[in-house]
């Protein structure tokens, strides 16, 4: 069923404007020329080297700063699970058993030995896949082990930070981090850090709480501001404390007001265990007054931004001292290492006014350091394609971009499920909800797998338990084809390109790329190969690796697939056809992309621009000419896609 959204009108206006500029011989301006040169350089790189990355020493390696966020192809990895380049740091310089060092390569919840030197060793593998940016899970020093007796696990993932100023010794040294960032930049790639401002490791304790089970949860129910106001100790009937403090509503988030908050015992009686009084760096983080101290979040209502995340110490991000402290911490990483972007963990669990101050300060810091296109995107987790929830944070928080969880959920329903692709049509129609509309939507990082929810192959196997390995392979490749050819910035989750599937989310989706000792990883069949995770998995001949590399070449070569306006052409309300046109922003050239989400072949007519008269195949089989002006026939095998470009020769 063809539709004509407002984006279609915008695309036609852009085409008209581009045509008029060419006909009139108008000056495109330095920015347009610069972008064209970057695109041309990327195309030349394709001819000169495998993958899309620039060889060291080329001029292209000096131009990565000029690329816009939507030009990137991101590869996301957990350094502990990627490659072990230095076995001497496996225990992080600590002595003792796994509950002291955090190291146990046979347990999926502990450190396995991957490190920054290992990532450097495998950069050619990442770049040959087609990635232009590398995003690492947090590298900061973590509390090695947390959790109640019998339920301990380690900070291998990087989200239990104690020292925000240096690299976790399990991953290497600050010098290793600099070497990694420099090596990435030398290849003309960008480096993204994963950062946390919502919480720290679990150090602060409450005297009223006792450990009640073995999943790192405490009997610390959230205590609200109404029932436990800041001006009374232990509830409304408690003794007066913090005289003159007006609370933390936006109008009161001033240094003057917060100087009157001196006692943190309004909800619980707070203490720091002996020996951990100076566990955190910078030292101001050791003062309990800079935390909410209200008990565990239910992730609903007030507790969403003020509750402890599974016991982790929740920072009082309404306090101006905390705001400036976090700007100073993360600004220093930009100054020192020249990183190119931040993915922000648990963004939705921090108050909007914090982001309204933090984001502009960080962008200004990056610009002052010669990084004009610093990419910031926040995590707003969800289990359904709720565009409004995602978009809210670009409007209220003024977050430049958010991870496109709605895209991931829509693709899972359509390709790893039985919903029709009309789900995708509705998703893209809602791009207008983002601050900046479609321009913002084209910079949203899109993904189909991640380290929290699980891998796409797992979702396919769950939805289609009787599916053959070939069908699972086709669905995984189809999902990645959507990610690379539809609007947004594709993010490949490490290991997907090697057919990793897993048995669920979180620890079950964090397999080792180097030979693993985890039984559940090694016994889970991979997709598209007879290999297992008991051996090293950096196979550039894997069918998914080759498919992603081809998609990356298409995206890098054709600006329409990176920056082109997207027009939804046809879609079905049951498994079947989904088709879009991507319109080159400079030339107006049309690229038609059509997907078949069903297990049966299909032939269909798709609306196109009536001026598009000749097509060449970029992927699959494409008719040379339309049936009639404005109507183009696509023939699609089951679970397959075609990419057809206007103009002979592609």
């Amino acid at each position: 069923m063809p539709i004509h959204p407002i984006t279609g009108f915008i695309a036609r206006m852009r085409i008209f404007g581009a045509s008029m500029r060419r006909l009139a011989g108008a000056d495109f301006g330095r920015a347009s020329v610069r972008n064209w040169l970057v695109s041309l350089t990327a195309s030349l790189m394709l001819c000169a080297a495998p993958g899309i990355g620039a060889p060291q020493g080329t001029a292209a390696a000096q131009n990565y700063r000029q690329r816009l966020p939507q030009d990137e192809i991101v590869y996301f990895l957990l350094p502990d699970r990627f490659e072990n380049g230095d076995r001497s740091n496996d225990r992080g310089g600590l002595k003792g058993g796994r509950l002291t060092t955090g190291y146990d390569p046979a347990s999926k919840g502990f450190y396995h030995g991957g490190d920054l030197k290992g990532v450097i060793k495998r950069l050619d593998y990442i770049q040959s896949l087609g990635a232009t940016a590398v995003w690492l899970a947090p590298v900061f020093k973590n509390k090695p082990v947390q959790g109640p007796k019998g339920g301990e696990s380690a900070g291998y993932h990087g989200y239990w930070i104690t020292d925000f100023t240096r690299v976790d010794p399990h991953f290497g040294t600050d010098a290793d981090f600099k070497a990694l960032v420099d090596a990435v930049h030398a290849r003309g790639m960008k480096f993204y850090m994963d950062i946390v401002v919502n919480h720290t490791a679990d150090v602060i304790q409450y005297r009223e709480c006792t450990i009640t089970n073995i999943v790192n949860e405490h009997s610390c129910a959230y205590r609200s501001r109404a029932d436990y106001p800041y001006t009374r100790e232990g509830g409304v009937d408690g003794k007066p404390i913090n005289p003159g403090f007006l609370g933390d509503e936006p109008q009161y988030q001033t240094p003057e007001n917060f100087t009157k908050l001196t006692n943190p015992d309004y909800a619980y009686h707070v203490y720091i265990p002996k020996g951990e009084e100076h566990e955190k760096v910078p030292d101001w983080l050791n003062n309990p007054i800079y935390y909410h101290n209200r008990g565990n979040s239910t992730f609903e209502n007030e507790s969403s931004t003020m509750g402890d995340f599974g016991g982790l110490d929740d920072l009082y991000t309404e306090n101006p001292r905390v705001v400036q402290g976090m700007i100073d911490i993360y600004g220093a990483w930009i100054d020192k290492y020249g990183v190119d972007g931040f993915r922000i963990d648990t963004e939705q669990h921090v108050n909007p006014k914090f982001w309204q101050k933090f984001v502009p300060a960080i962008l200004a810091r990056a610009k002052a350091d010669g990084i004009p296109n610093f990419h910031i995107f926040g995590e707003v987790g969800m289990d359904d394609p709720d565009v409004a929830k995602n978009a809210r944070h670009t409007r209220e928080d003024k977050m430049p971009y958010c991870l496109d969880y709605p895209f991931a959920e829509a693709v899972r329903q359509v390709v790893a499920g039985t919903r029709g692709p009309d789900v995708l049509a509705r998703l893209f129609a809602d791009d207008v909800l983002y601050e900046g509309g479609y321009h913002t939507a084209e910079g949203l990082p899109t993904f189909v797998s991640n380290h929290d929810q699980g891998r796409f192959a797992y979702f396919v196997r769950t939805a289609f338990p009787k599916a053959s390995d070939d069908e699972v392979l086709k669905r995984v490749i189809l999902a990645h084809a959507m990610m690379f050819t539809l609007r947004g910035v594709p993010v490949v989750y490490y290991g997907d390109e090697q057919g990793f599937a897993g048995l669920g989310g979180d620890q079950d989706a964090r397999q080792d790329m180097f030979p693993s000792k985890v039984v559940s990883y090694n016994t889970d069949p991979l997709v598209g190969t007879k290999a297992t995770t008991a051996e090293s998995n950096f196979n550039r001949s894997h069918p998914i690796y080759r498919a992603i590399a081809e998609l990356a070449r298409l995206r890098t070569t054709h600006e329409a697939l990176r920056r082109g306006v997207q027009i939804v052409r046809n879609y079905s309300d049951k498994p079947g056809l989904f088709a879009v046109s991507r319109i080159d922003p400079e030339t107006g050239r049309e690229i038609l992309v059509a997907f078949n989400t069903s297990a049966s072949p299909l032939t269909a007519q798709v609306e196109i621009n009536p001026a598009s008269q000749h097509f060449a195949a970029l992927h699959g089989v494409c008719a040379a000419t339309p049936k009639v002006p404005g109507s183009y026939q696509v023939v699609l095998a089951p679970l397959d896609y075609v990419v057809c470009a206007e103009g002979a020769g592609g």
Side-chain angles (χ1 to χ4, degrees), residues 275-604:
E276 296 187 275
E277 295 87 351
H278 297 283
E279 181 76 7
K280 299 176 186 178
V281 180
D283 194 58
W284 64 266
L285 288 165
N286 292 299
N287 189 341
I289 206 67
Y290 296 126
Y291 297 84
H292 284 120
N293 304 314
R294 289 191 170 277
N296 284 328
S297 177
T298 65
F299 307 107
E300 299 290 341
N301 305 317
E302 174 187 308
S303 82
S304 179
T305 58
M306 295 190 171
D308 294 343
F309 196 111
L312 299 170
D313 300 347
D314 196 71
L315 280 157
Y316 204 149
T317 47
E318 291 81 4
N319 190 324
R321 176 67 182 91
V322 175
V323 178
Q324 189 58 50
M326 285 293 156
I327 291 171
D328 293 342
I329 285 170
Y330 290 117
W333 285 86
I334 301 173
D335 293 345
K336 188 174 182 179
Y337 299 105
V339 298
D340 305 285
F342 288 159
R343 178 268 192 182
I344 300 176
D345 180 67
T346 54
E347 189 275 344
Q348 65 184 313
H349 300 302
V350 176
N351 57 298
K353 192 170 181 179
F354 176 93
W355 298 122
Q356 293 165 14
K357 292 182 177 295
F358 180 87
V359 169
I362 291 298
L363 291 175
R365 192 76 162 258
K367 188 174 182 179
D369 287 334
I371 310 170
N373 296 310
F374 197 83
H375 197 184
I376 296 180
F377 49 99
E379 178 202 27
V380 182
M382 64 187 74
D383 295 318
D384 53 65
D386 187 350
V387 176
K389 179 181 179 181
N390 218 34
R392 182 189 316 141
H393 295 273
T394 67
R395 289 189 174 272
E396 185 177 18
D397 301 355
K398 303 304 179 185
M399 186 62 51
Y401 305 101
C402 292
L403 276 167
D404 203 344
Y405 269 84
F407 175 90
E409 293 300 330
V411 174
R412 288 169 193 167
Q413 291 181 13
V414 172
V415 183
T418 57
R419 296 286 300 275
D422 57 318
V423 174
L424 289 167
R426 288 196 298 274
L427 172 89
F428 295 129
D430 283 342
D431 282 347
V432 296
L433 299 178
Y434 290 101
E435 182 77 12
Y438 182 82
H439 179 70
T440 295
E442 68 181 3
L444 301 175
T446 55
F447 65 97
V448 295
S449 304
N450 75 2
H451 60 315
D452 290 326
Q453 294 178 320
R455 297 185 181 275
F456 197 79
Y458 162 76
F459 297 119
V460 173
R461 285 178 172 172
T462 301
F464 303 100
K466 296 182 180 179
S468 66
D469 184 67
D470 183 62
E471 179 180 342
V472 176
L473 176 64
K474 287 179 179 178
R475 290 184 183 274
V476 170
I477 291 175
L478 185 63
H480 282 84
M482 288 182 170
M483 190 171 72
F484 273 81
T485 59
L486 299 173
R487 69 100 182 101
V489 181
V491 178
V492 177
Y493 182 45
Y494 87 98
D496 271 14
E497 76 279 6
Q498 295 297 326
F500 287 11
L503 301 173
D506 199 74
Q507 295 176 7
D508 288 321
R510 301 172 182 179
Q511 301 95 323
D512 303 309
M513 292 283 280
F514 57 99
S516 182
K517 296 182 180 179
V518 177
V519 173
S520 63
Y521 294 167
N522 295 342
T523 55
D524 182 47
L526 306 187
V527 179
T529 178
K530 297 297 183 183
T532 73
T533 54
E535 55 198 284
S536 184
N537 280 278
F538 294 95
N539 177 15
R540 302 188 195 193
S541 296
H542 191 288
I544 302 178
Y545 185 100
R546 289 188 284 107
I548 292 175
E550 178 196 353
L551 287 161
R553 284 191 292 271
L554 287 180
R555 182 179 172 84
T556 305
T557 307
H558 298 279
E559 188 171 4
L561 297 178
R562 304 192 308 278
R563 304 186 192 178
V565 167
Q566 176 174 288
I567 305 172
V568 175
R569 295 295 196 183
N570 292 66
Y571 58 88
S572 172
D573 60 0
K574 58 182 180 296
L577 178 66
F578 184 70
V580 304
S581 289
R582 302 296 306 273
I583 309 299
D584 189 294
E586 293 295 333
T587 67
R589 183 184 186 216
E590 180 174 13
I591 295 181
L592 180 70
V593 189
F595 309 91
N596 180 5
T597 68
S598 77
S600 301
L602 69 80
T603 300

Side-chain angles (χ1 to χ4, degrees), residues 205-242:
Q205 303 299 318
Y206 309 137
R207 297 196 183 279
E208 291 85 348
C209 301
T210 57
I211 295 174
T212 58
N213 57 41
I214 61 168
V215 291
N216 199 27
E217 295 290 343
H218 298 68
S219 58
C220 293
Y222 183 79
R223 292 182 170 180
S224 71
R225 291 179 295 180
D227 292 329
Y228 295 85
Y230 294 108
T231 53
R232 292 292 185 272
E233 181 179 350
V236 293
D237 296 325
K239 70 179 182 181
I241 58 174
N242 301 319

